[in-house]
Amino acid sequence: MDPRRAEPDRDSPATLHGEFTITGNRKVRCAVSLTERELIVQRLTSAPVGRNKVVLSLKDCVGCRAHREDDNADPAAYLVVYLYPLRRRWVSSGVSRQRVEHSFRLTVLQDPRDNLEEAERWARAVRERSDRQQHLRDGALMSKLSRPCRMMLLVNPQSGKGQALTLYNNHIQRMLNDAGVQHTLVITERQNHARELVREADLSQWDALVIMSGDGLLFEVINGLLERSDWEEAIRTPLGILPGGSGNALAASVHYYSGSSPVSSEELLVSCGFLLCKGLVSPMDLVSIHLSSSTRLFSFLSLAWGFVADVDIESEKYRHVGAARFTVGTLVRLASLRVYKGKLSYLPVTDDCNNRRGLRNNMRPHRNNQASSLCPASPLNCPSKDSPLRNTFHNSCHSNNSFKVRRTESTPSRSATKALAGPPDSLLLPLDQPLPSDWVVVPEEDFVLMLAMYQSHLAEDLLAAPGAISDDGAIHLFYVRAGISRTALLRLFLAMEKGAHMATSCQHLVYTKVRALRLEPYSPKGIITVDGEVVEYGPLQAEVHRGLARLITG
């Protein structure tokens, strides 16, 4: 390759041209061209052009590096490009991201240092042009993590089937190395370990906090960040999610928001890892929840009471089967279907907010075989009658034993609620006060379930709120009235796998979008979950805070 012909101007879309050989077969020569969007590799043989031409999209590129081998007698430099393109699966239908590595050898210059300098110039150009493949989400250009990026990666080794560390070693470690992302691995050892850690950590050391677990570990991290005295700055630390548990609802939601076809298990992990490496950041809503003891929690995913909450907790005994535990739990609970008595009230989303968010939802890409956002003709949409870097492996427990852990389990007085960290709630009155007149009180008091969602997925294979996006400023409220048959309820959950439940004719299902809600169970005992975690049972209320956190969505 003649370096005088390559003009890698960082601000210019000019094509770079060069000649390389294939690493591992020095007899195969290639003409390589780098455009603004593609890397084109053409083998220099007598065969027809089409058979020897490979076009690599820079949108699929996570990293590129140049290096020399340890052999001083070899003057060559090497250019390695790492990509994760969508490819057809070997067995089942559909596509998933699969790792591809292309390595090229450069020997056209006599001085080994010159070869390395030229290879590094190409590597910089590939990285810069890959980074310039900007992504639009809902019509707005998303922000991007700085490069180089420093991540704290928290892993719960007990989550799911207990394979999180194995999945990290098999996929994520190499992927982050490919992308040139420095990361510190922190292995959590007990409940609330991550919450205590982020509450006291020096966050200036990190550009992002990444959680590899189920959804429970992120719940700890978010509440730990909002318990800090500098919560306003801390909660803006970009958060990443890698599926390592049995639910993996937020990871499935992030994958869904990217417009990709549904995947699960390790394919979902690879997809989320790819999106993490791309480093694009979106706002994410959080919901402030007040319990009857005046304890305040922040939620990123869901609030559940009734059938869904029971299944979530009762299926813990089947954790060894992974995500299938929810299916087993659903069948068990259907066999002894219960009715839950209580009072449900909510503040509806206004028409102006609906119109603005409707425009944003219409800009989302359509997905094959999945239900899109509710069309105006759907009865569920109408108001109801109630209207290469070395990683640092670090076990934080060994160096943070001096942390002063605040007792978040204590019960503050009701008058102390306003002093709790986090943004003030403007829509909620104390639980012992009557609701304002613009709130809707559901006339029914017998329910099978109540589910409030603020992300699209409730689990890997449950698309509960297909119209949701991470920062739409709405709580997607579902409830099922008593009287539904076991068969109809089972059909509803089966349809939820693809979001098709929104188009069913089930007369017992009600869906609406709200800004705040209040739930007052009548029974003294029961289960309420927030992001899959059991919380104090009793009256509670919730309010959405739009775009409070930052989520890495690629």
Side-chain angles (χ1 to χ4, degrees):
M1 179 179 65
D2 185 353
R4 292 171 297 180
R5 294 187 180 182
E7 302 289 342
D9 182 352
R10 297 183 182 185
D11 299 320
S12 169
T15 300
L16 308 186
H17 300 282
E19 185 175 314
F20 297 80
T21 57
I22 298 294
T23 302
N25 189 349
R26 301 180 185 181
K27 294 181 180 180
V28 179
R29 294 182 300 118
C30 290
V32 180
S33 301
L34 176 64
T35 70
E36 188 66 11
R37 294 181 174 84
E38 297 170 333
L39 188 69
I40 304 169
V41 183
Q42 174 69 56
R43 289 196 178 193
L44 300 177
T45 68
S46 58
V49 172
R51 295 183 183 178
N52 295 286
K53 184 178 180 180
V54 177
V55 178
L56 308 173
S57 172
L58 294 182
K59 283 187 176 181
D60 298 327
C61 177
V62 298
C64 183
R65 68 185 182 99
H67 68 97
R68 288 194 63 234
E69 299 289 351
D70 295 333
D71 184 4
N72 292 327
D74 182 7
Y78 296 84
L79 178 71
V80 188
V81 185
Y82 306 102
L83 306 103
Y84 285 81
L86 289 169
R87 290 188 166 183
R88 293 203 170 275
R89 301 185 182 104
W90 288 103
V91 181
S92 60
S93 61
V95 295
S96 63
R97 293 206 176 271
Q98 301 174 31
R99 184 178 185 272
V100 175
E101 177 182 324
H102 290 271
S103 182
F104 305 98
R105 187 172 183 268
L106 170 64
T107 56
V108 297
L109 302 172
Q110 295 295 325
D111 190 330
R113 291 173 298 182
D114 291 340
N115 282 328
L116 181 59
E117 181 181 345
E118 187 62 23
E120 287 176 340
R121 188 159 60 154
W122 271 77
R124 283 194 302 271
V126 170
R127 289 193 298 266
E128 290 165 3
R129 295 184 185 201
S130 176
D131 285 344
R132 285 202 292 264
Q133 303 305 301
Q134 302 288 6
H135 289 233
L136 287 173
R137 185 73 48 78
D138 301 319
L141 191 65
M142 294 189 294
S143 60
K144 190 173 178 66
L145 288 176
S146 60
R147 299 285 187 178
C149 180
R150 305 160 301 166
M151 292 181 178
M152 179 194 289
L153 177 57
L154 296 119
V155 177
N156 177 5
Q158 305 301 321
S159 61
K161 297 181 181 180
Q163 296 180 330
L165 277 176
T166 300
L167 293 171
Y168 164 81
N169 291 325
N170 290 347
H171 297 286
I172 300 304
Q173 182 180 21
R174 181 172 64 174
M175 186 178 289
L176 294 178
N177 285 340
D178 290 347
V181 175
Q182 285 184 311
H183 63 285
T184 298
L185 181 67
V186 178
I187 301 173
T188 61
E189 295 188 345
R190 63 185 184 279
Q191 189 175 10
N192 282 323
H193 187 176
R195 187 172 189 160
E196 297 161 13
L197 191 151
V198 301
R199 191 166 55 201
E200 306 291 345
D202 177 8
L203 296 180
S204 65
Q205 298 182 56
W206 315 107
D207 299 305
L209 301 177
V210 181
I211 289 81
M212 185 168 178
S213 179
D215 298 302
L217 195 61
L218 182 57
F219 174 78
E220 286 189 25
V221 168
I222 286 174
N223 282 278
L225 292 174
L226 283 161
E227 288 166 357
R228 295 169 60 105
S229 59
D230 63 343
W231 65 265
E232 289 181 272
E233 181 179 357
I235 196 58
R236 300 186 73 82
T237 305
L239 302 170
I241 185 72
L242 296 169
S246 51
N248 304 321
L250 184 61
S253 298
V254 168
H255 174 84
Y256 175 74
Y257 300 149
S258 73
S260 303
S261 300
V263 293
S264 61
S265 303
E266 293 188 36
E267 291 180 348
L268 178 62
L269 176 63
V270 172
S271 174
C272 290
F274 171 80
L275 296 171
L276 178 68
C277 290
K278 300 306 284 187
L280 297 171
V281 181
S282 300
M284 179 173 69
D285 296 342
L286 295 181
V287 170
S288 169
I289 297 176
H290 292 261
L291 307 179
S292 59
S293 62
S294 296
T295 300
R296 188 186 191 193
L297 303 170
F298 286 89
S299 169
F300 66 90
L301 178 65
S302 65
L303 167 64
W305 171 62
F307 184 89
V308 172
D310 286 358
V311 167
D312 195 3
I313 302 309
E314 293 171 359
S315 65
E316 284 285 337
K317 65 184 75 171
Y318 313 117
R319 179 174 288 276
H320 61 281
V321 300
R325 74 179 177 95
F326 298 109
T327 302
V328 176
T330 297
L331 296 175
V332 171
R333 177 47 46 212
L334 277 171
S336 56
L337 196 59
R338 299 172 182 167
V339 172
Y340 306 81
K341 294 181 177 293
K343 181 179 179 182
L344 177 63
S345 313
Y346 59 84
L347 179 65
V349 168
T350 63
D351 290 338
D352 288 343
C353 291
N354 264 325
N355 291 336
R356 288 196 298 270
R357 289 161 193 149
L359 289 173
R360 299 186 67 194
N361 282 336
N362 288 337
M363 299 176 70
R364 294 176 55 190
H366 291 289
R367 298 163 176 82
N368 293 333
N369 301 321
Q370 295 185 20
S372 60
S373 301
L374 292 173
C375 62
S378 170
L380 286 174
N381 199 38
C382 302
S384 63
K385 64 180 180 179
D386 48 286
S387 279
L389 295 174
R390 182 170 297 179
N391 303 322
T392 304
F393 295 95
H394 170 60
N395 188 326
S396 64
C397 184
H398 294 162
S399 59
N400 293 286
N401 289 330
S402 62
F403 282 175
K404 296 179 180 179
V405 181
R406 301 167 199 161
R407 293 192 174 274
T408 57
E409 297 84 359
S410 61
T411 304
S413 65
R414 183 156 297 174
S415 61
T417 302
K418 293 182 179 179
L420 295 175
D425 293 312
S426 61
L427 304 175
L428 303 179
L429 296 174
L431 276 165
D432 55 2
Q433 292 188 16
L435 292 166
S437 59
D438 54 348
W439 282 58
V440 174
V441 178
V442 176
E444 291 86 4
E445 296 186 343
D446 292 344
F447 301 89
V448 170
L449 66 87
M450 186 282 294
L451 176 64
M453 294 287 301
Y454 359 111
Q455 305 292 342
S456 63
H457 281 67
L458 186 60
E460 272 188 28
D461 56 352
L462 289 178
L463 180 52
I469 55 178
S470 63
D471 66 328
D472 58 8
I475 298 172
H476 297 255
L477 177 63
F478 303 81
Y479 60 90
V480 174
R481 299 186 291 254
I484 189 171
S485 67
R486 291 180 176 84
T487 302
L489 187 59
L490 179 58
R491 262 199 307 263
L492 204 60
F493 275 88
L494 292 175
M496 192 182 290
E497 291 183 5
K498 297 184 181 298
H501 62 294
M502 305 297 284
T504 63
S505 57
C506 178
Q507 299 301 312
H508 294 86
L509 172 65
V510 179
Y511 162 73
T512 186
K513 290 193 286 188
V514 308
R515 299 172 63 196
L517 64 86
R518 178 183 287 185
L519 172 66
E520 301 168 85
Y522 292 160
S523 58
K525 294 182 180 180
I527 296 175
I528 294 176
T529 60
V530 173
D531 299 349
E533 301 295 311
V534 178
V535 298
E536 167 196 335
Y537 192 77
L540 59 78
Q541 55 188 0
E543 175 182 339
V544 64
H545 289 266
R546 187 170 190 176
L548 180 59
R550 296 292 178 267
L551 179 66
I552 303 172
T553 58

